[in-house]
Amino acid sequence: MDSLSIALIVVCVILVCIIVWSFSRKDNQTDNASNEEISQLQALISEKENTISSLKNEQKEMSEKSEALITQLKDKNIKELKASADRISELEAGIQKALAGGADEIIRKKLAEVDKLTSKVKKLEEDLEEAEDEADSMKKKTKQLQIQNSELQEELDNEIRKGKKLLEEIGDTKSRLEQVEKDFNIRQEALDFVKEILTAKLTSDKSVNNLYQTVDNIVDYIRGDVRDSIISIYNIPAEHQQAIFGSELFAWAIAKKKSWIQGKTSIAFVGEFSAGKTSIVNRILSQDDPNVPRLPVSTKATTAIPTYISGGVSTFYQFVTPGNELKGISENTFKRVNKDVLDQVKGVSSLIQYFVMTYKNPNLNKLSILDTPGFNSNDSEDAERTISVINECDALFWVFDVNAGTVNRSSIKIIKENLKKPLYVVINQIDTKSKSDVDSVENLIRKTLQDEGIKIEAVIRFSKKEPLEKIMSPISAIKHDNSREQYLDEMISMLSEKLKDLTNDTKEAHKKSNSLESKSSRLIDEFNRAIAALGDDCVTVSNIPQYNSRFFREDDFRISQAQYNEFITTLERICQGRLDTLCDKYNQQMKTVSEMQDAWNEHSSALYNQKRIEECLETLTRLSKKLPK
């Protein structure tokens, strides 16, 4: 039994050493604990639990053995005591019998045997008492072991709690490290994204470059020579100048550079998050034909920047800068565009207006689709980017999830204040609700928009099970608004009209100058005739007095009464008629010369203006022929 106690003590010492070792191991653990260390810690705890379990089993076994031993001893001693008592009784009976028979020798033998049995009984009683003492000692030791076991169990529980807490801390640390790593990867993607955007080069497509160059040349020429020529001829108010040579011109240039929407019906899709917008766009792109490729990019949960999707000869990923330059990017960079990445890039609107993605799809020959971030984004840049391009489309399709059942108020406010295009409402995923529920949602949407004064063209109920025609029919009925594309044609038409007017003005001015020139020539002739008449009268006057030669005094001139009368009449005609006529003819001539000079100036100015407008018309016509039809 003593060896068992020693064994228990040794086991306890070993267990304490293990616990101390585990404490030292825990204290030496660092925040960078690996999965292997966690496994070791878990194994150590498991080993401790196994040790305690083994100790408990050994304790239980020892207790059972001691109790069995005590019971066995008790049973043995009781049997022997009973046998001895029986034997004593038998001997006593023999003694009584012997006393009656007088057999002394027999009595002595029997008494000696009784003494031996009595000694043996006493010895057995002592052994029994010693066994009971040993059993009590074993019970005490068992109790001590139970106390030690309880203490060890408590320490183990504390260790387990500490281990679990450490595991939780390690788990939290791992989660933080994973989040840090995720944030780092997002930042790295954002840096790579910004790097490629900043280093992106103008598109290498020769036809696009020629288009951009031609449009820029036309804009520069209209804002330069055409504007100077028109405002120098016509008095145009400043606000009209700003419209004609500013906003309207730039709107035309922007629209003309968007070759992906030229001559196509352009529609924009907006919607709340998870409204099923992408599934609708993909059905339109594929027209339910599995052989037609869908959107050739991995779709994101949220469109981060407005994106035009259009048909082309091959797949291109491009973006338009705030300066309306078209630059190319790689597919990987395009796929990086998501909210997580863009949240790391402040002021992205100063880099990108919108993306343009073209790929070969026959269903996009006459259709261009604008996918937008939606109006309910918390980012003001998202709304600004969307608004800047939304009104360039021919119609807006607002997609609602029938399960949402409400209309976003911020979206209503933006649409009400900025939308200028026909609005269609698409209630999507109607296959998930009953008809009465769908009716209720539609009635709510109609009433909400009507109360806000927002007009809608139609409400389209749609789902993946509905025929595509339900949405394609209203799309096909949308008329393409080419008013912005007509600016150049209208400018050329206006110059043609102005040229006709100026040509007529030139002809009229030339006719007027010719008329005045003829009048001047006539006045010159009349002036010359008046001078000749004056000369004739002067000759007549000079011939009236007759020379009279005298002998006794100086010669003189003699005039008769009739000659005198003629003389006076001629002088009066000279003074009152001929001179007035000459003055009048002179004044008329001077006035006519002045008018003729003005007419010549007017003619020269009209001819100069005519030439300027004619040159502007010829140049614009020539430049317009370089634009793709």
Side-chain angles (χ1 to χ4, degrees), residues 190-351:
L191 288 174
D192 294 340
F193 171 75
V194 172
K195 180 180 178 181
E196 182 160 354
I197 292 299
L198 291 175
T199 57
K201 297 181 180 180
L202 294 175
T203 180
S204 58
D205 190 329
K206 187 176 180 180
S207 62
V208 173
N209 291 334
N210 291 337
L211 170 63
Y212 271 52
Q213 186 62 51
T214 302
V215 171
D216 290 339
N217 290 340
I218 291 174
V219 170
D220 292 340
Y221 188 72
I222 291 177
R223 286 180 57 82
D225 290 3
V226 175
R227 178 179 178 275
D228 293 342
S229 297
I230 290 179
I231 64 176
S232 67
I233 299 172
Y234 304 99
N235 183 22
I236 301 177
E239 59 272 17
H240 290 168
Q241 292 185 34
Q242 179 59 32
I244 296 173
F245 303 107
S247 58
E248 292 180 5
L249 174 59
F250 290 138
W252 169 83
I254 293 172
K256 200 65 182 178
K257 286 182 177 181
K258 293 182 178 181
S259 57
W260 53 91
I261 62 174
Q262 289 294 308
K264 297 181 179 181
T265 299
S266 178
I267 59 174
F269 279 91
V270 299
E272 317 301 330
F273 298 135
S274 302
K277 184 176 52 177
T278 302
S279 64
I280 296 177
V281 171
N282 270 329
R283 284 196 68 186
I284 295 173
L285 294 178
S286 67
Q287 295 290 301
D288 289 339
D289 183 354
N291 297 321
V292 177
R294 297 190 175 195
L295 192 64
V297 294
S298 59
T299 57
K300 302 293 181 182
T302 304
T303 301
I305 293 178
T307 302
Y308 278 101
I309 307 168
S310 185
V313 294
S314 58
T315 303
F316 286 104
Y317 301 95
Q318 301 164 314
F319 70 94
V320 175
T321 69
N324 291 308
E325 293 180 326
L326 185 63
K327 295 185 176 182
I329 56 174
S330 67
E331 181 178 351
N332 289 334
T333 298
F334 181 77
K335 288 182 177 181
R336 286 194 183 103
V337 184
N338 57 61
K339 291 293 294 181
D340 291 338
V341 170
L342 292 183
D343 284 344
Q344 305 293 324
V345 184
K346 302 303 179 184
V348 71
S349 60
S350 63
L351 303 174

Side-chain angles (χ1 to χ4, degrees), residues 552-618:
F552 300 104
R553 50 184 183 178
E554 293 181 359
D555 293 341
D556 58 10
F557 287 86
R558 182 182 299 173
I559 187 171
S560 65
Q561 183 62 45
Q563 289 176 328
Y564 173 76
N565 292 336
E566 183 184 0
F567 182 81
I568 295 301
T569 300
T570 303
L571 287 178
E572 289 177 351
R573 186 169 61 246
I574 290 173
C575 294
Q576 297 177 3
R578 302 301 185 189
L579 292 179
D580 290 343
T581 299
L582 285 174
C583 290
D584 181 59
K585 297 301 180 183
Y586 176 79
N587 291 333
Q588 289 185 40
Q589 178 64 18
M590 291 300 101
K591 180 181 178 181
T592 302
V593 169
S594 177
E595 291 175 350
M596 187 171 59
Q597 185 64 44
D598 291 340
W600 284 342
N601 292 337
E602 183 179 348
H603 175 262
S604 297
S605 177
L607 184 59
Y608 175 74
N609 291 336
Q610 176 188 338
K611 294 296 184 183
R612 291 187 67 177
I613 297 300
E614 188 176 6
E615 181 180 352
C616 290
L617 179 60
E618 290 177 354

Side-chain angles (χ1 to χ4, degrees), residues 509-519 600:
H510 186 260
K511 182 178 179 181
K512 183 178 179 181
S513 64
N514 288 340
S515 176
L516 290 172
E517 187 175 358
S518 298
K519 181 179 178 181
W600 284 342

Side-chain angles (χ1 to χ4, degrees), residues 4-111:
L4 181 61
S5 301
I6 292 171
L8 287 173
I9 292 171
V10 170
V11 171
C12 293
V13 171
I14 293 172
L15 186 60
V16 170
C17 292
I18 291 173
I19 293 173
V20 172
W21 178 79
S22 69
F23 283 159
S24 63
R25 285 284 294 173
K26 180 174 74 69
D27 293 337
N28 293 329
Q29 285 179 341
T30 64
D31 293 336
N32 297 323
S34 63
N35 291 331
E36 181 180 357
E37 292 173 329
I38 295 173
S39 300
Q40 290 177 354
L41 180 59
Q42 292 174 338
L44 178 60
I45 292 173
S46 177
E47 182 180 352
K48 289 181 181 180
E49 291 176 342
N50 294 332
T51 302
I52 289 175
S53 177
S54 175
L55 186 59
K56 284 181 178 180
N57 293 333
E58 185 176 353
Q59 175 188 333
K60 182 179 179 181
E61 181 180 355
M62 186 182 297
S63 178
E64 291 175 352
K65 286 181 178 180
S66 63
E67 290 178 358
L69 179 60
I70 291 171
T71 302
Q72 183 180 358
L73 288 173
K74 282 183 177 181
D75 293 341
K76 180 180 179 182
N77 289 337
I78 289 171
K79 288 180 180 180
E80 289 182 356
L81 285 173
K82 185 177 179 182
S84 297
D86 294 339
R87 184 61 177 165
I88 289 171
S89 298
E90 181 183 350
L91 288 175
E92 286 178 347
I95 290 171
Q96 294 295 331
K97 183 177 180 182
L99 287 175
D104 295 335
E105 186 63 28
I106 294 172
I107 292 172
R108 284 195 297 273
K109 290 180 180 179
K110 294 296 182 181
L111 289 174

Side-chain angles (χ1 to χ4, degrees), residues 224-468:
D225 290 3
V226 175
R227 178 179 178 275
D228 293 342
S229 297
I230 290 179
I231 64 176
S232 67
I233 299 172
Y234 304 99
N235 183 22
I236 301 177
E239 59 272 17
H240 290 168
Q241 292 185 34
Q242 179 59 32
I244 296 173
F245 303 107
S247 58
E248 292 180 5
L249 174 59
F250 290 138
W252 169 83
I254 293 172
K256 200 65 182 178
K257 286 182 177 181
K258 293 182 178 181
S259 57
W260 53 91
I261 62 174
Q262 289 294 308
K264 297 181 179 181
T265 299
S266 178
I267 59 174
F269 279 91
V270 299
E272 317 301 330
F273 298 135
S274 302
K277 184 176 52 177
T278 302
S279 64
I280 296 177
V281 171
N282 270 329
R283 284 196 68 186
I284 295 173
L285 294 178
S286 67
Q287 295 290 301
D288 289 339
D289 183 354
N291 297 321
V292 177
R294 297 190 175 195
L295 192 64
V297 294
S298 59
T299 57
K300 302 293 181 182
T302 304
T303 301
I305 293 178
T307 302
Y308 278 101
I309 307 168
S310 185
V313 294
S314 58
T315 303
F316 286 104
Y317 301 95
Q318 301 164 314
F319 70 94
V320 175
T321 69
N324 291 308
E325 293 180 326
L326 185 63
K327 295 185 176 182
I329 56 174
S330 67
E331 181 178 351
N332 289 334
T333 298
F334 181 77
K335 288 182 177 181
R336 286 194 183 103
V337 184
N338 57 61
K339 291 293 294 181
D340 291 338
V341 170
L342 292 183
D343 284 344
Q344 305 293 324
V345 184
K346 302 303 179 184
V348 71
S349 60
S350 63
L351 303 174
I352 301 171
Q353 279 197 81
Y354 50 84
F355 284 108
V356 179
M357 191 202 72
T358 60
Y359 76 111
K360 194 172 183 179
N361 186 332
N363 298 322
L364 292 174
N365 290 339
K366 296 182 179 180
L367 181 66
S368 180
I369 299 175
L370 176 63
D371 195 12
T372 70
F375 290 131
N376 63 325
S377 171
N378 294 324
D379 190 345
S380 59
E381 283 190 359
D382 285 351
E384 292 174 3
R385 282 191 293 265
T386 301
I387 292 169
S388 66
V389 295
I390 200 72
N391 283 317
E392 295 178 4
C393 295
D394 296 310
L396 173 65
F397 285 77
W398 194 356
V399 182
F400 289 89
D401 182 359
V402 71
N403 297 288
T406 58
V407 182
N408 186 279
R409 290 289 170 180
S410 62
S411 299
I412 289 177
K413 182 176 183 294
I414 293 176
I415 287 179
K416 185 176 180 180
E417 293 177 354
N418 300 279
L419 183 66
K420 301 175 183 177
K421 294 295 182 177
L423 174 64
Y424 293 81
V425 169
V426 181
I427 302 177
N428 197 26
Q429 301 178 10
I430 61 171
D431 55 328
T432 62
K433 290 285 186 179
S434 65
K435 184 179 182 302
S436 59
D437 289 339
V438 177
D439 291 339
S440 298
V441 172
E442 179 177 344
N443 291 335
L444 174 62
I445 293 174
R446 284 183 178 275
K447 184 178 185 305
T448 303
L449 298 182
Q450 183 178 1
D451 292 343
E452 293 292 337
I454 298 177
K455 178 185 176 183
I456 57 176
E457 301 295 325
V459 174
I460 304 167
R461 297 186 179 192
F462 201 66
S463 75
K464 59 184 178 182
K465 297 180 180 179
E466 294 295 313
L468 185 60

